[in-house]
mmCIF file of all heavy atoms in Angstrom:
data_model
loop_
_atom_site.group_PDB
_atom_site.id
_atom_site.type_symbol
_atom_site.label_atom_id
_atom_site.label_comp_id
_atom_site.label_asym_id
_atom_site.label_seq_id
_atom_site.Cartn_x
_atom_site.Cartn_y
_atom_site.Cartn_z
ATOM 1 N N ASP A 186 109.538 110.505 114.149
ATOM 2 C CA ASP A 186 109.500 110.268 115.605
ATOM 3 C C ASP A 186 110.860 109.817 116.123
ATOM 4 O O ASP A 186 111.273 110.205 117.228
ATOM 5 C CB ASP A 186 108.435 109.218 115.941
ATOM 6 C CG ASP A 186 107.015 109.746 115.801
ATOM 7 O OD1 ASP A 186 106.831 110.979 115.797
ATOM 8 O OD2 ASP A 186 106.074 108.920 115.696
ATOM 9 N N MET A 187 111.553 108.984 115.353
ATOM 10 C CA MET A 187 112.876 108.511 115.780
ATOM 11 C C MET A 187 113.848 109.678 115.939
ATOM 12 O O MET A 187 114.550 109.788 116.958
ATOM 13 C CB MET A 187 113.432 107.512 114.756
ATOM 14 C CG MET A 187 112.730 106.171 114.746
ATOM 15 S SD MET A 187 113.120 105.211 113.257
ATOM 16 C CE MET A 187 114.857 104.933 113.484
ATOM 17 N N VAL A 188 113.900 110.536 114.950
ATOM 18 C CA VAL A 188 114.829 111.663 114.982
ATOM 19 C C VAL A 188 114.445 112.637 116.089
ATOM 20 O O VAL A 188 115.309 113.173 116.797
ATOM 21 C CB VAL A 188 114.860 112.371 113.608
ATOM 22 C CG1 VAL A 188 115.693 113.646 113.672
ATOM 23 C CG2 VAL A 188 115.402 111.438 112.535
ATOM 24 N N GLN A 189 113.141 112.851 116.250
ATOM 25 C CA GLN A 189 112.686 113.779 117.284
ATOM 26 C C GLN A 189 113.040 113.270 118.680
ATOM 27 O O GLN A 189 113.528 114.035 119.523
ATOM 28 C CB GLN A 189 111.166 113.968 117.168
ATOM 29 C CG GLN A 189 110.618 115.100 118.023
ATOM 30 C CD GLN A 189 111.127 116.455 117.581
ATOM 31 O OE1 GLN A 189 111.421 116.658 116.406
ATOM 32 N NE2 GLN A 189 111.276 117.376 118.527
ATOM 33 N N ARG A 190 112.808 111.989 118.934
ATOM 34 C CA ARG A 190 113.100 111.431 120.259
ATOM 35 C C ARG A 190 114.601 111.464 120.545
ATOM 36 O O ARG A 190 115.028 111.756 121.665
ATOM 37 C CB ARG A 190 112.577 110.001 120.355
ATOM 38 C CG ARG A 190 112.725 109.394 121.764
ATOM 39 C CD ARG A 190 112.197 107.971 121.771
ATOM 40 N NE ARG A 190 112.312 107.361 123.085
ATOM 41 C CZ ARG A 190 111.336 107.311 123.983
ATOM 42 N NH1 ARG A 190 110.152 107.859 123.722
ATOM 43 N NH2 ARG A 190 111.520 106.719 125.160
ATOM 44 N N ALA A 191 115.423 111.160 119.524
ATOM 45 C CA ALA A 191 116.877 111.161 119.702
ATOM 46 C C ALA A 191 117.438 112.577 119.749
ATOM 47 O O ALA A 191 118.577 112.781 120.182
ATOM 48 C CB ALA A 191 117.536 110.383 118.570
ATOM 49 N N ASN A 192 116.636 113.540 119.249
ATOM 50 C CA ASN A 192 117.097 114.921 119.085
ATOM 51 C C ASN A 192 118.344 114.969 118.208
ATOM 52 O O ASN A 192 119.248 115.777 118.417
ATOM 53 C CB ASN A 192 117.364 115.590 120.441
ATOM 54 C CG ASN A 192 117.472 117.100 120.323
ATOM 55 O OD1 ASN A 192 116.842 117.717 119.450
ATOM 56 N ND2 ASN A 192 118.281 117.715 121.175
ATOM 57 N N SER A 193 118.364 114.057 117.226
ATOM 58 C CA SER A 193 119.535 113.924 116.359
ATOM 59 C C SER A 193 119.158 113.042 115.177
ATOM 60 O O SER A 193 118.448 112.043 115.344
ATOM 61 C CB SER A 193 120.692 113.291 117.143
ATOM 62 O OG SER A 193 121.777 112.978 116.310
ATOM 63 N N GLY A 194 119.648 113.420 113.995
ATOM 64 C CA GLY A 194 119.405 112.569 112.838
ATOM 65 C C GLY A 194 118.928 113.348 111.628
ATOM 66 O O GLY A 194 118.993 114.584 111.597
ATOM 67 N N HIS A 195 118.426 112.607 110.631
ATOM 68 C CA HIS A 195 118.102 113.174 109.329
ATOM 69 C C HIS A 195 116.693 112.743 108.917
ATOM 70 O O HIS A 195 116.524 111.660 108.332
ATOM 71 C CB HIS A 195 119.116 112.703 108.276
ATOM 72 C CG HIS A 195 120.535 113.021 108.622
ATOM 73 N ND1 HIS A 195 121.251 112.303 109.563
ATOM 74 C CD2 HIS A 195 121.371 113.986 108.158
ATOM 75 C CE1 HIS A 195 122.470 112.811 109.658
ATOM 76 N NE2 HIS A 195 122.574 113.830 108.825
ATOM 77 N N PRO A 196 115.692 113.569 109.146
ATOM 78 C CA PRO A 196 114.324 113.177 108.780
ATOM 79 C C PRO A 196 113.987 113.398 107.308
ATOM 80 O O PRO A 196 113.110 112.736 106.757
ATOM 81 C CB PRO A 196 113.461 114.086 109.661
ATOM 82 C CG PRO A 196 114.302 115.322 109.851
ATOM 83 C CD PRO A 196 115.741 114.844 109.889
ATOM 84 N N GLY A 197 114.686 114.314 106.642
ATOM 85 C CA GLY A 197 114.297 114.728 105.296
ATOM 86 C C GLY A 197 114.331 113.623 104.270
ATOM 87 O O GLY A 197 113.359 113.413 103.525
ATOM 88 N N ALA A 198 115.459 112.897 104.177
ATOM 89 C CA ALA A 198 115.595 111.839 103.174
ATOM 90 C C ALA A 198 114.609 110.691 103.397
ATOM 91 O O ALA A 198 113.959 110.238 102.443
ATOM 92 C CB ALA A 198 117.030 111.326 103.132
ATOM 93 N N PRO A 199 114.446 110.188 104.630
ATOM 94 C CA PRO A 199 113.469 109.109 104.833
ATOM 95 C C PRO A 199 112.048 109.503 104.427
ATOM 96 O O PRO A 199 111.322 108.701 103.831
ATOM 97 C CB PRO A 199 113.553 108.844 106.337
ATOM 98 C CG PRO A 199 114.922 109.276 106.726
ATOM 99 C CD PRO A 199 115.230 110.447 105.860
ATOM 100 N N MET A 200 111.659 110.737 104.719
ATOM 101 C CA MET A 200 110.305 111.171 104.368
ATOM 102 C C MET A 200 110.165 111.333 102.855
ATOM 103 O O MET A 200 109.117 111.022 102.277
ATOM 104 C CB MET A 200 109.966 112.465 105.094
ATOM 105 C CG MET A 200 109.952 112.314 106.613
ATOM 106 S SD MET A 200 109.477 113.808 107.499
ATOM 107 C CE MET A 200 107.697 113.776 107.290
ATOM 108 N N GLY A 201 111.233 111.776 102.192
ATOM 109 C CA GLY A 201 111.187 111.930 100.743
ATOM 110 C C GLY A 201 111.211 110.611 100.002
ATOM 111 O O GLY A 201 110.685 110.507 98.884
ATOM 112 N N LEU A 202 111.813 109.586 100.613
ATOM 113 C CA LEU A 202 111.957 108.282 99.952
ATOM 114 C C LEU A 202 110.866 107.283 100.330
ATOM 115 O O LEU A 202 110.852 106.159 99.828
ATOM 116 C CB LEU A 202 113.318 107.672 100.319
ATOM 117 C CG LEU A 202 114.528 108.215 99.565
ATOM 118 C CD1 LEU A 202 115.823 107.800 100.264
ATOM 119 C CD2 LEU A 202 114.535 107.712 98.124
ATOM 120 N N ALA A 203 109.960 107.662 101.205
ATOM 121 C CA ALA A 203 108.995 106.701 101.738
ATOM 122 C C ALA A 203 108.133 106.067 100.645
ATOM 123 O O ALA A 203 107.856 104.855 100.673
ATOM 124 C CB ALA A 203 108.114 107.383 102.784
ATOM 125 N N ASP A 204 107.699 106.860 99.672
ATOM 126 C CA ASP A 204 106.854 106.297 98.607
ATOM 127 C C ASP A 204 107.622 105.272 97.779
ATOM 128 O O ASP A 204 107.089 104.212 97.411
ATOM 129 C CB ASP A 204 106.342 107.429 97.710
ATOM 130 C CG ASP A 204 105.537 108.468 98.483
ATOM 131 O OD1 ASP A 204 104.675 108.060 99.273
ATOM 132 O OD2 ASP A 204 105.796 109.671 98.304
ATOM 133 N N ILE A 205 108.878 105.589 97.486
ATOM 134 C CA ILE A 205 109.724 104.645 96.736
ATOM 135 C C ILE A 205 109.934 103.370 97.543
ATOM 136 O O ILE A 205 109.894 102.261 96.992
ATOM 137 C CB ILE A 205 111.072 105.309 96.399
ATOM 138 C CG1 ILE A 205 110.849 106.467 95.414
ATOM 139 C CG2 ILE A 205 112.066 104.305 95.831
ATOM 140 C CD1 ILE A 205 112.054 107.356 95.227
ATOM 141 N N ALA A 206 110.145 103.513 98.855
ATOM 142 C CA ALA A 206 110.386 102.345 99.707
ATOM 143 C C ALA A 206 109.198 101.392 99.702
ATOM 144 O O ALA A 206 109.369 100.167 99.728
ATOM 145 C CB ALA A 206 110.695 102.802 101.129
ATOM 146 N N VAL A 207 107.997 101.931 99.668
ATOM 147 C CA VAL A 207 106.806 101.076 99.665
ATOM 148 C C VAL A 207 106.750 100.245 98.380
ATOM 149 O O VAL A 207 106.513 99.030 98.415
ATOM 150 C CB VAL A 207 105.528 101.933 99.809
ATOM 151 C CG1 VAL A 207 104.284 101.100 99.514
ATOM 152 C CG2 VAL A 207 105.450 102.506 101.220
ATOM 153 N N VAL A 208 106.992 100.883 97.239
ATOM 154 C CA VAL A 208 106.952 100.145 95.971
ATOM 155 C C VAL A 208 108.133 99.176 95.881
ATOM 156 O O VAL A 208 107.990 98.046 95.392
ATOM 157 C CB VAL A 208 106.950 101.115 94.773
ATOM 158 C CG1 VAL A 208 106.885 100.345 93.464
ATOM 159 C CG2 VAL A 208 105.777 102.085 94.879
ATOM 160 N N LEU A 209 109.288 99.595 96.369
ATOM 161 C CA LEU A 209 110.448 98.694 96.386
ATOM 162 C C LEU A 209 110.132 97.430 97.177
ATOM 163 O O LEU A 209 110.564 96.325 96.807
ATOM 164 C CB LEU A 209 111.659 99.411 96.990
ATOM 165 C CG LEU A 209 112.946 98.599 97.140
ATOM 166 C CD1 LEU A 209 113.447 98.103 95.788
ATOM 167 C CD2 LEU A 209 114.028 99.440 97.824
ATOM 168 N N SER A 210 109.366 97.568 98.258
ATOM 169 C CA SER A 210 108.988 96.402 99.069
ATOM 170 C C SER A 210 108.244 95.356 98.242
ATOM 171 O O SER A 210 108.332 94.155 98.527
ATOM 172 C CB SER A 210 108.096 96.845 100.242
ATOM 173 O OG SER A 210 108.787 97.692 101.123
ATOM 174 N N GLU A 211 107.534 95.810 97.222
ATOM 175 C CA GLU A 211 106.770 94.889 96.379
ATOM 176 C C GLU A 211 107.666 94.146 95.388
ATOM 177 O O GLU A 211 107.286 93.100 94.863
ATOM 178 C CB GLU A 211 105.691 95.670 95.624
ATOM 179 C CG GLU A 211 104.684 96.362 96.524
ATOM 180 C CD GLU A 211 103.794 97.340 95.755
ATOM 181 O OE1 GLU A 211 103.634 97.159 94.523
ATOM 182 O OE2 GLU A 211 103.277 98.291 96.374
ATOM 183 N N HIS A 212 108.854 94.690 95.119
ATOM 184 C CA HIS A 212 109.756 94.092 94.122
ATOM 185 C C HIS A 212 110.914 93.323 94.750
ATOM 186 O O HIS A 212 111.512 92.461 94.098
ATOM 187 C CB HIS A 212 110.322 95.193 93.216
ATOM 188 C CG HIS A 212 109.325 95.760 92.264
ATOM 189 N ND1 HIS A 212 109.164 95.300 90.964
ATOM 190 C CD2 HIS A 212 108.403 96.753 92.415
ATOM 191 C CE1 HIS A 212 108.212 95.982 90.367
ATOM 192 N NE2 HIS A 212 107.727 96.881 91.218
ATOM 193 N N LEU A 213 111.238 93.617 95.969
ATOM 194 C CA LEU A 213 112.444 93.082 96.609
ATOM 195 C C LEU A 213 112.255 91.623 97.009
ATOM 196 O O LEU A 213 111.296 91.277 97.714
ATOM 197 C CB LEU A 213 112.778 93.924 97.846
ATOM 198 C CG LEU A 213 114.168 93.757 98.454
ATOM 199 C CD1 LEU A 213 115.242 94.333 97.537
ATOM 200 C CD2 LEU A 213 114.221 94.464 99.826
ATOM 201 N N ASN A 214 113.163 90.752 96.576
ATOM 202 C CA ASN A 214 113.166 89.345 96.988
ATOM 203 C C ASN A 214 114.159 89.166 98.131
ATOM 204 O O ASN A 214 115.371 89.249 97.925
ATOM 205 C CB ASN A 214 113.551 88.438 95.819
ATOM 206 C CG ASN A 214 112.487 88.395 94.740
ATOM 207 O OD1 ASN A 214 111.310 88.613 95.005
ATOM 208 N ND2 ASN A 214 112.893 88.140 93.508
ATOM 209 N N HIS A 215 113.642 88.943 99.322
ATOM 210 C CA HIS A 215 114.495 88.785 100.502
ATOM 211 C C HIS A 215 113.758 87.941 101.522
ATOM 212 O O HIS A 215 112.546 87.720 101.399
ATOM 213 C CB HIS A 215 114.861 90.152 101.089
ATOM 214 C CG HIS A 215 113.683 90.965 101.552
ATOM 215 N ND1 HIS A 215 113.552 91.464 102.825
ATOM 216 C CD2 HIS A 215 112.555 91.372 100.898
ATOM 217 C CE1 HIS A 215 112.418 92.139 102.931
ATOM 218 N NE2 HIS A 215 111.807 92.097 101.773
#
């Protein structure tokens, strides 16, 4: 949605990394 609204950007990498990001959230101390 962000890329579509801006009509600019890179949707491919965020969509491909989303599963990793969720698991990383469980390990990240911040």
Side-chain angles (χ1 to χ4, degrees):
D186 287 341
M187 289 165 65
V188 173
Q189 191 65 29
R190 186 181 180 96
N192 196 30
S193 172
H195 304 76
M200 297 183 78
L202 281 165
D204 301 314
I205 294 169
V207 168
V208 181
L209 177 61
S210 296
E211 299 169 24
H212 288 266
L213 195 70
N214 291 334
H215 61 124

